[in-house]
Each structure stands twice: as structure tokens, then as C-alpha cells.
């Protein structure tokens, strides 16, 4: 659990009885409140700037060419550099937002194979991590990539949103999100067509960065544009046991938020608990804070409690 200590000035009035007046105590309290308000405002500004500099900046325009390949000729083609850079930038946005600072690099060999996987998905108009040899545009390299990659029928940087959102009944463990926000992720391969994306994420993991946060949550602790608070919320810690964990959420006014916890699955990245709260981030018009308590998380057989706040805001205001 991360705790922030707001250190107020140690001010006291020295009199014969070493006491503080009521007026000075009130002054100290007002200074504390002002300091906290200023820190909150700064955190909101930082979250908004990150959103503008990374998320909005990685958006694609209608005239950008997604790839140079051709389905009819089974030509995998290549992904133009601006598209690859924006995919990496969009990924950097999400990882930075959760507190990860390590840079993810592109592996050219994995990208070449991932491009063949993306072509195969496009040519057969479906997603399959184990495509049969009977598929149109089948290649062994593409099949290898498909078994090690995230797959989506979304192109360009929006594919990262698709993976982080993890919408759909089959994506209840948010496995795509867990791989992309995995602290040990260090390189990816990028495959992309005008309708499909394949992102190689498995293999060659690094070590957990020393400055990695104590947990990975989405939405993350702190401020986040409401539109990016997807239906499924998640909380991850390597080797944590969530089998007896409880989750509660409250609005700033103390009202409880109803939620449902998804079935646990431990085969993607770090161990993760997933829940769906009764929250619609798309309807956020003013800053809205939620207090989250995750209790009875077993770490090395010791129960721990985590508490943090998420404030959703409208970045256009």
C-alpha cells in the first residue's frame, strides 16, 4: 500500500506553558488543507498533460496508411514507422499512468512474424491463436507469432485501447491488459493491417523494475480521464493470493458502489483480481472520486489490506 505523508510545518507558540493558541492551530490546519488541495490540483494537471502528450498525441488520422501489404497476394507488407511509433506511444501512456517507467522496445524479428500473423487474421476475418494450415495466407512464422501474441480486430494505436479495455465475456480475466501492464514486459513485436493487430508479448521477460509500484491497478491510483475507466477494474500483485479477497468501493460522499467480482484466473502476467463496479466513466462531467479497499490479500501467507483513491475527470475541462 502506498501512503503519502503531507508534512505540515512544525509550528508551535512557545509560552510559559508551551501551548499553542486556537488561532495558530486553525492556521496550521488551513495551511495543511491548502497544501493538499495544491497537491491534488498538480496531480490532476499531470494526469491531463500525460493524456494530451501521450494518449491524444498517439491518435491516428483517417489519411494514415496502416500497412503496405495486400491480402489478395498474401503480401504481409510492413507497418509504416509513424504507425509503429504511435502504437508504442499509446502503450507508454497506459504503462506510465500506472506508475511504470521502463521503456518498451520493438523486436524486429518478432515484428516480422507478427506482421504475418496479422495478415492471417485479416485474410481469414477471424482471430485464432492456433491457426490451421488450411488458412488463407498461412505461414509457420505467422502461426508462431499468433501463439505468442495478443490479437484484436482493431488496427493502429486503438488496438492498445482494445487490449486494455478487454471487453467481452471471454476476456473476464483481462489477460491482454495484464500482459501489457506487466512490470517485467520489456519488448514487443508489432503486426498491423488495415483491420487487425497482432502484438507479440510472450517470452524474454526482464526483471521487475526497482521503481515499479507495489501494485498495478486499472484504473490507476490518482487521476484518470473518465472515458478510460473501462467496465472491468483490476488490481495486480505478483504471487498474491486473492482467493479470499474482498473488495469495497465508496463514493466521496460515503455511499457504497455495487460491484461484482470476476472469477480468478492466474495464467496471465501477475496474479490479478478483477471486478465490475456500477460506474460509467463515459458519463463523468465533474471530478468524481472513488475510495477502494481491497482486503485480505495474502502475500507470503500474510493478509494485507490496500486502500487507494481513483478520481475520474473530464480532460476537456
Amino acid at each position: 500500500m502506498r501512503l503519502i505523508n503531507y508534512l505540515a510545518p512544525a509550528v508551535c507558540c512557545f509560552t510559559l506553558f508551551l501551548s499553542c493558541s486556537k488561532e495558530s492551530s486553525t492556521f496550521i490546519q488551513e495551511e495543511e488543507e491548502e497544501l493538499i488541495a495544491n497537491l491534488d490540483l498538480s496531480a490532476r494537471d499531470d494526469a491531463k498533460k500525460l493524456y494530451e502528450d501521450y494518449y491524444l498525441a498517439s491518435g491516428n488520422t483517417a489519411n494514415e496508411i496502416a500497412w503496405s501489404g495486400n491480402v489478395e497476394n498474401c503480401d504481409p507488407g510492413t507497418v509504416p514507422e509513424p504507425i509503429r511509433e504511435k502504437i508504442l506511444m499509446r502503450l507508454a501512456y497506459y504503462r506510465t499512468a500506472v506508475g511504470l517507467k521502463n521503456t518498451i522496445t520493438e523486436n524486429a524479428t518478432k515484428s516480422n512474424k507478427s506482421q504475418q500473423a496479422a495478415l492471417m487474421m485479416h485474410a481469414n476475418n477471424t482471430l485464432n491463436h492456433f491457426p490451421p494450415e488450411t488458412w488463407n495466407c498461412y505461414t509457420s512464422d505467422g502461426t508462431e507469432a499468433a501463439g505468442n501474441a495478443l490479437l484484436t480486430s482493431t488496427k493502429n494505436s486503438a488496438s492498445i485501447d482494445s487490449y486494455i479495455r478487454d471487453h467481452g465475456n471471454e476476456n473476464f480475466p483481462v489477460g491482454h491488459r495484464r500482459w501489457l501492464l506487466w512490470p517485467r514486459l520489456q519488448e514487443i513485436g508489432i503486426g498491423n493491417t488495415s483491420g487487425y493487430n497482432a502484438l507479440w508479448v510472450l517470452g524474454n521477460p526482464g526483471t521487475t523494475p526497482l521503481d515499479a509500484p507495489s501494485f498495478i491497478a486499472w484504473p490507476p491510483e490518482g487521476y484518470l480521464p473518465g472515458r478510460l475507466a473501462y467496465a472491468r477494474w483490476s488490481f495486480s500483485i505478483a504471487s498474491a493470493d486473492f482467493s479470499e479477497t474482498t473488495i469495497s468501493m465508496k463514493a466521496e460522499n460515503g455511499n457504497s458502489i455495487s460491484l461484482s467480482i470476476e472469477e480468478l484466473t492466474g495464467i496471465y502476467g501477475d496474479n490479478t483480481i478483477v471486478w465490475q463496479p456500477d460506474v460509467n466513466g463515459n458519463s463523468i462531467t465533474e471530478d468524481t472520486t472513488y475510495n477502494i479497499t481491497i482486503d485480505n490479500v495474502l502475500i507470503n501467507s500474510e493478509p494485507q489490506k490496500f486502500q487507494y483513491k481513483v478520481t475520474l475527470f473530464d480532460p476537456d475541462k
Side-chain angles (χ1 to χ4, degrees):
M1 171 169 35
R2 289 170 284 180
L3 300 177
I4 300 175
N5 294 318
Y6 299 109
L7 300 180
V11 178
C12 190
C13 304
F14 284 87
T15 66
L16 180 62
F17 302 103
L18 298 177
S19 63
C20 289
S21 70
K22 181 178 180 181
E23 289 79 5
S24 64
S25 296
T26 302
F27 176 73
I28 294 171
Q29 182 178 356
E30 290 175 349
E31 279 199 331
E32 283 185 328
E33 291 175 350
E34 182 179 358
L35 176 60
I36 292 173
N38 288 338
L39 287 171
D40 284 347
L41 182 60
S42 175
R44 188 187 193 280
D45 289 343
D46 288 345
K48 183 175 181 178
K49 180 172 174 54
L50 179 67
Y51 175 76
E52 293 171 344
D53 291 351
Y54 281 79
Y55 189 89
L56 293 184
S58 61
N60 295 109
T61 61
N63 60 353
E64 287 182 296
I65 298 175
W67 67 314
S68 63
N70 182 281
V71 173
E72 287 73 19
N73 299 325
C74 289
D75 176 12
T78 59
V79 183
E81 185 174 356
I83 299 295
R84 297 201 317 274
E85 289 179 348
K86 287 185 176 181
I87 289 173
L88 287 167
M89 184 184 292
R90 183 64 58 87
L91 175 57
Y93 167 76
Y94 283 103
R95 290 180 64 85
T96 303
V98 300
L100 294 170
K101 302 175 183 177
N102 54 319
T103 300
I104 304 301
T105 60
E106 181 185 5
N107 181 301
T109 299
K110 290 181 178 180
S111 286
N112 288 336
K113 294 180 178 181
S114 296
Q115 188 57 36
Q116 296 179 53
L119 171 66
M120 289 167 61
M121 305 304 136
H122 192 134
N124 294 275
N125 197 33
T126 191
L127 304 175
N128 192 333
H129 289 288
F130 307 100
E133 294 184 11
T134 55
W135 261 29
N136 297 327
C137 303
Y138 177 91
T139 65
S140 58
D141 283 346
T143 298
E144 179 188 3
N148 288 280
L150 310 181
L151 304 172
T152 183
S153 55
T154 306
K155 64 179 179 179
N156 302 345
S157 61
S159 63
I160 303 298
D161 298 330
S162 174
Y163 296 134
I164 298 294
R165 182 184 300 110
D166 257 343
H167 175 72
N169 293 335
E170 71 280 7
N171 290 323
F172 68 89
V174 297
H176 303 89
R177 178 189 301 175
R178 287 158 69 170
W179 284 125
L180 290 184
L181 300 183
W182 193 33
R184 297 179 61 189
L185 183 67
Q186 63 177 353
E187 67 177 25
I188 61 174
I190 299 173
N192 195 73
T193 71
S194 58
Y196 286 81
N197 179 273
L199 211 66
W200 188 317
V201 294
L202 300 186
N204 194 32
T207 57
T208 300
L210 295 177
D211 59 355
S214 58
F215 61 82
I216 301 295
W218 194 267
E221 181 178 18
Y223 285 84
L224 181 78
R227 64 196 62 165
L228 300 182
Y230 304 122
R232 292 188 169 109
W233 294 37
S234 60
F235 179 93
S236 304
I237 297 180
S239 302
D241 181 352
F242 295 109
S243 59
E244 302 298 327
T245 297
T246 61
I247 301 174
S248 63
M249 285 180 61
K250 290 186 177 181
E252 196 74 343
N253 61 8
N255 290 340
S256 295
I257 305 297
S258 62
L259 58 87
S260 59
I261 298 178
E262 301 279 15
E263 179 183 349
L264 294 175
T265 301
I267 60 174
Y268 311 102
D270 289 337
N271 287 345
T272 299
I273 189 166
V274 182
W275 69 100
Q276 291 198 54
D278 185 17
V279 172
N280 183 1
N282 290 317
S283 66
I284 295 296
T285 57
E286 59 184 23
D287 293 10
T288 305
T289 299
Y290 299 97
N291 297 284
I292 301 162
T293 300
I294 301 183
D295 200 5
N296 203 25
V297 178
L298 296 181
I299 300 178
N300 297 323
S301 300
E302 293 293 328
Q304 295 192 29
K305 176 189 290 188
F306 296 84
Q307 294 178 301
Y308 61 100
K309 293 184 177 182
V310 171
T311 300
L312 304 182
F313 70 98
D314 183 351
D316 297 328
K317 293 185 176 180

